[in-house]
Amino acid sequence: RRAGMVVCGVDMGAMTAALVTGAAISCYSLVDSVGVTYVEPMKYMVLMKVAELSGLYPLILLTTRARDDAAYAWRNLKLASALVGVGSVGTYLLVLYVYQTTNAAYVVALREFSVVIGAVLGFCLLGEKPTAAKVAGLLLVVAGIVCVKDAPKQP
């Protein structure tokens, strides 16, 4: 792995990737929470998936590696792919319905808690090493969730 520019012990490339990811999550969460105020969640999800596939399907067809990966998954991973697909669509639909009933900040915070769950499963089941940086990051996610939970309610 090639090291990027490091400032005060922080890899700025990794920091930039994290900030861009956070901005993307904020943007798609805002779009989703506003979108379901105009369109029923099931219809909204179908529209979003059609738009998503419109962009991805040509990419899969044009990119050799993506095409090979898709063919491999179709031949060998049908059940796992179906389970992941149903789970993904189901949780996304659930999130869209919840956006209609509560503050979007609560939903986003709870969705990002999955990062903590995934990391803990990695530590416990996959033997991943819980480094100080990983634990600090997880604690920051939990602290952020607590801050959102304890924030004053808007009138």
Side-chain angles (χ1 to χ4, degrees), residues 1-6 11-14:
R1 169 173 125 82
R2 198 177 112 226
M5 186 169 95
V6 176
D11 180 338
M12 297 312 289

Side-chain angles (χ1 to χ4, degrees), residues 23-97:
I25 291 168
S26 297
C27 289
Y28 74 65
S29 297
L30 180 61
V31 168
D32 286 349
S33 68
V34 171
V36 294
T37 63
Y38 294 101
V39 181
E40 192 269 331
M42 180 65 86
K43 292 177 185 172
Y44 179 84
M45 183 194 64
V46 168
L47 291 170
M48 292 301 284
K49 293 300 177 187
V50 167
E52 183 181 306
L53 288 173
S54 307
L56 288 178
Y57 193 67
L59 181 67
I60 289 170
L61 291 176
L62 295 174
T63 308
T64 303
R65 177 163 180 194
R67 191 173 52 243
D68 292 346
D69 288 349
Y72 176 83
W74 181 254
R75 282 191 312 272
N76 303 306
L77 303 171
K78 284 183 184 145
L79 180 59
S81 297
L83 289 173
V84 168
V86 168
S88 175
V89 168
T91 56
Y92 183 55
L93 191 57
L94 183 63
V95 166
L96 293 178
Y97 277 106

Side-chain angles (χ1 to χ4, degrees), residues 109-120:
L110 190 57
R111 278 179 92 178
E112 296 317 308
F113 190 68
S114 66
V115 172
V116 175
I117 293 168
V120 170

